[in-house]
Amino acid sequence: MEAFNTISSQWRFVFVLGLLFFLANAANAKVQHHDFVIQATKVKRLCTTHNAITVNGQFPGPTLEINNGDTLEVKVTNKARYNVTVHWHGVRQMLTAWADGPEFITQCPIRPGQSYTYRFTVQGQEGTLWWHAHSSWLRATVYGALIVHPKEGDSYPFPKPKRETPILMGEWWDANPIDVIREATRTGAAPNVSDAYTINGQPGDLYKCSSQDTVIVPISSGETNLLRVINSALNQQLFFTVANHKLTVVGADASYVKPFTTKVLMLGPGQTTDVLIKADQPAGRYYMAARAYASAQGAPFDNTTTTAILKYKTPTCASKTCATSKPVFPSLPAFNDTATATAFTTSFKSPRRVPVPTKIDESLFITVGLGLNKCPPKARARNCQGPNGTRFSASMNNNTFSLPSNTSILKAYYDKIPGVFTTDFPKVPPVKFDYTGNVSRSLWQPSPGTKVYKLKYGSTVQVVLQGTSIFTAENHPIHLHGYDFYIVAEGFGNFNPKTDTSKFNLVDPPLRNTASVPVKGWSVIRFVADNPGVWVMHCHLDVHIGWGLAMTFIVENGVGESQTLPKPPPDFPKC
């Protein structure tokens, strides 16, 4: 009995300690309130002024900075002429699926003149995330950084840098992006490529009418700066480098990684990478530069280069000569340098051993790629301007994802509204074929549908993402909402479970929210379905999601309040 009392008192002590720790953290956590006004703003780039859609008149939009554990309440008021939603890219949204943001998947859009307040807590994530519109092509100008610092009193797992600088890479059209995608939708052809890339909204020195607004990033000799690099571009993977400087990668997608050094980054749209840069070069000015990694053979792309300037703030560089001398220009990879892209993406590892699921409950094999639809009967030739009189399409497992138009999938699931979606998304391709070889034209046309795949709460999931060569092969950045996942392997060719399983890293794979599926290759991801709701998995090239390169998971409720999705908030947008 005495031993029992001793054990009991020990557990009481542990419980009290745990409770005090929880209360201390809860006391430090804050609720941040922000107002986002979506509105048309005159923005001049490349010598021309456009009425761009912005947040609070800013392009890019406001940077939000919070601590791990904080809650965000962001009231979004739509004063633009388009429907809009906002997605908090990479936020786990635990039990807050109503705040995730993808149009007609978790919510109906915020109509012009209406507002909606997104409420969610960012817990257990640190590093760089971002937010962006998830409605048509508004993401071209409606985006901003979301920086998650450690909890108060905690520190980075590396020496604290002297400065921190968000670097948001984007794309700019010398046109209204909504008009660009509407024209492509009407004709069935690929949309016009962008006219410029940008860093923090500015094209940089190599474009007309741009050099006087080129972004300057200050640094002092000997100090270290943390660059929070975000690919906010709509449709293009990008290489990024800084002349004469090494980049030490320390984080990605709001997870720390085992540090490694590189001269060049490759980010797909949606991905973030945190890098340390040390001012260890002679005082001067050095270009930061980004250009396309364009893996689709023969496909048009924006072949320009955006720049910013890393400028040393030292007495020796205050002279007129240093201020006016041309910045040092870096060497950038060729636009089709898959070897450099692969060397970068395969360098990521978690800092230590991680709990990768090993017993798999749900194993899916999903093909991702483009397709072509035959010209519909009675359609005019001007509406079928894809290759050989077709219309471009895209699919996962031969299913072109179709958005509902009268309600969201999440609302339909929650309220048991029939006829909005079906639960027959195939866990393997309907037809097996040589995915990365010469594909029979009989397989080029996918089938449309709003199909979901149901997962039981707590199930362990493995997804093989297999790229295809239908029409053209290319690198696809695949993003899963509501979850981080472990990328346990990637490779080229057709995934072979008999030989490729031995390549799996089940010790320290990286934790990401967006995976770059290699051109003519595959990636394997694993996660635990511990967040009930409706979660879309899609290609983050916006032209591809518009063509249907997406699918959705429904994760069912578990047991009890902590595993059950609450009801929608009272101001939830109606269709």
Side-chain angles (χ1 to χ4, degrees):
M1 189 69 179
E2 187 177 333
F4 174 79
N5 285 334
T6 302
I7 293 170
S8 179
S9 63
Q10 287 174 341
W11 276 112
R12 279 198 298 272
F13 178 71
V14 170
F15 173 76
V16 170
L17 272 182
L19 183 61
L20 288 172
F21 179 75
F22 171 79
L23 291 173
N25 278 331
N28 286 332
K30 296 182 176 66
V31 179
Q32 285 200 28
H33 304 270
H34 296 274
D35 286 296
F36 276 13
V37 177
I38 311 289
Q39 60 191 23
T41 303
K42 292 190 182 305
V43 177
K44 187 175 183 179
R45 297 291 185 273
L46 308 181
C47 315
T48 306
T49 299
H50 292 279
N51 265 333
I53 305 302
T54 66
V55 171
N56 298 351
Q58 300 175 40
F59 170 63
T63 293
L64 304 183
E65 297 195 50
I66 64 172
N67 292 96
N68 180 357
D70 285 356
T71 296
L72 273 171
E73 292 188 352
V74 184
K75 182 180 180 181
V76 176
T77 301
N78 187 4
K79 292 187 176 180
R81 59 191 175 109
Y82 306 108
N83 294 335
V84 72
T85 66
V86 177
H87 169 53
W88 313 92
H89 186 110
V91 173
R92 285 291 318 272
Q93 296 291 2
M94 298 299 294
L95 300 181
T96 50
W98 306 107
D100 190 44
E103 184 179 56
F104 291 117
I105 294 170
T106 59
Q107 69 167 94
C108 293
I110 305 168
R111 307 287 182 183
Q114 297 181 353
S115 63
Y116 173 49
T117 300
Y118 293 88
R119 301 173 179 87
F120 56 91
T121 300
V122 180
Q123 187 74 48
Q125 296 178 281
E126 292 179 12
T128 305
L129 297 173
W130 63 300
W131 56 265
H132 60 79
H134 213 297
S135 184
S136 186
W137 270 24
L138 289 181
R139 182 166 79 78
T141 51
V142 178
Y143 62 84
L146 172 55
I147 296 170
V148 187
H149 296 287
K151 293 178 180 179
E152 287 187 18
D154 287 355
S155 60
Y156 299 127
F158 45 83
K160 185 174 173 60
K162 185 79 172 177
R163 304 173 195 265
E164 299 184 12
T165 307
I167 301 290
L168 292 96
M169 303 184 294
E171 277 180 285
W172 178 262
W173 275 260
D174 206 2
N176 179 350
I178 302 296
D179 291 343
V180 173
I181 188 57
R182 283 180 174 173
E183 173 69 4
T185 302
R186 184 185 66 78
T187 64
N192 291 340
V193 300
S194 56
D195 296 289
Y197 299 115
T198 57
I199 292 177
N200 292 354
Q202 293 293 342
D205 284 0
L206 306 184
Y207 298 89
K208 61 184 180 180
C209 304
S210 300
S211 59
Q212 69 181 37
D213 296 311
T214 297
V215 170
I216 305 293
V217 178
I219 197 166
S220 297
S221 291
E223 78 177 22
T224 298
N225 192 344
L226 175 62
L227 302 181
R228 299 179 176 275
V229 186
I230 303 168
N231 186 348
S232 327
L234 213 64
N235 292 317
Q236 190 62 63
Q237 292 90 342
L238 293 167
F239 288 120
F240 173 86
T241 191
V242 183
N244 293 11
H245 289 73
K246 292 179 181 176
L247 304 171
T248 300
V249 179
V250 292
D253 293 358
S255 291
Y256 296 118
V257 302
K258 192 172 291 182
F260 67 94
T261 301
T262 180
K263 288 187 175 180
V264 64
L265 315 179
M266 194 289 287
L267 288 83
Q271 293 183 317
T272 74
T273 306
D274 293 342
V275 297
L276 298 174
I277 181 170
K278 187 171 183 180
D280 56 5
Q281 296 300 303
R285 301 195 306 157
Y286 299 84
Y287 273 126
M288 299 174 164
R291 65 168 292 182
Y293 166 49
S295 58
Q297 193 171 359
F301 68 96
D302 180 349
N303 195 17
T304 61
T305 301
T306 181
T307 56
I309 298 173
L310 183 72
K311 181 180 179 181
Y312 278 62
K313 290 180 63 179
T314 58
T316 56
C317 205
S319 68
K320 189 174 182 182
T321 306
C322 182
T324 57
S325 63
K326 198 165 186 178
V328 180
F329 202 85
S331 173
L332 278 158
F335 70 86
N336 58 355
D337 191 346
T338 293
T340 293
T342 303
F344 179 71
T345 58
T346 55
S347 294
F348 286 86
K349 290 183 178 179
S350 288
R352 60 192 66 81
R353 191 180 188 97
V354 289
V356 188
T358 51
K359 181 182 174 296
I360 300 300
D361 300 317
E362 294 277 2
S363 185
L364 290 85
F365 185 101
I366 299 179
T367 56
V368 298
L370 303 189
L372 297 172
N373 284 333
K374 295 174 184 173
C375 198
K378 299 181 181 178
R380 297 181 178 182
R382 68 186 185 193
N383 301 124
C384 299
Q385 294 183 32
N388 301 316
T390 60
R391 292 178 61 83
F392 271 109
S393 184
S395 68
M396 287 187 167
N397 277 356
N398 204 48
N399 181 72
T400 293
F401 183 71
S402 302
L403 285 172
S405 55
N406 295 320
T407 188
S408 69
I409 297 174
L410 179 59
K411 194 75 164 63
Y413 170 63
Y414 190 86
D415 290 342
K416 299 180 174 57
I417 300 171
V420 176
F421 61 85
T422 59
T423 56
D424 56 344
F425 181 84
K427 66 189 298 183
V428 295
V431 179
K432 279 188 176 182
F433 57 96
D434 181 3
Y435 307 112
T436 55
N438 292 321
V439 181
S440 166
R441 295 214 168 202
S442 64
L443 297 169
W444 281 32
Q445 176 150 331
S447 303
T450 309
K451 301 182 182 217
V452 307
Y453 191 89
K454 277 194 170 183
L455 296 170
K456 291 194 177 303
Y457 183 92
S459 59
T460 52
V461 186
Q462 174 177 292
V463 183
V464 176
L465 296 163
Q466 173 69 63
T468 71
S469 291
I470 296 176
F471 183 68
T472 185
E474 64 183 296
N475 182 295
H476 294 279
I478 302 297
H479 172 49
L480 174 60
H481 288 224
Y483 286 89
D484 288 326
F485 49 73
Y486 293 109
I487 304 177
V488 298
E490 68 173 67
F492 292 98
N494 298 332
F495 177 77
N496 185 334
K498 291 181 180 176
T499 56
D500 290 330
T501 306
S502 63
K503 302 171 187 173
F504 286 7
N505 176 3
L506 301 180
V507 178
D508 57 357
L511 190 64
R512 303 295 300 262
N513 62 53
T514 306
S516 287
V517 178
V519 56
K520 289 193 176 182
W522 50 268
S523 294
V524 181
I525 66 172
R526 290 186 178 185
F527 63 96
V528 179
D530 59 357
N531 190 11
V534 172
W535 308 107
V536 63
M537 184 170 72
H538 65 88
C539 182
H540 220 280
L541 306 176
D542 271 31
V543 62
H544 288 182
I545 187 175
W547 287 342
L549 215 171
M551 59 82 64
T552 48
F553 289 108
I554 286 181
V555 179
E556 298 174 335
N557 287 330
V559 178
E561 190 176 334
S562 65
Q563 299 179 3
T564 300
L565 180 68
K567 65 182 181 180
D571 63 339
F572 195 61
K574 294 178 172 58
C575 279

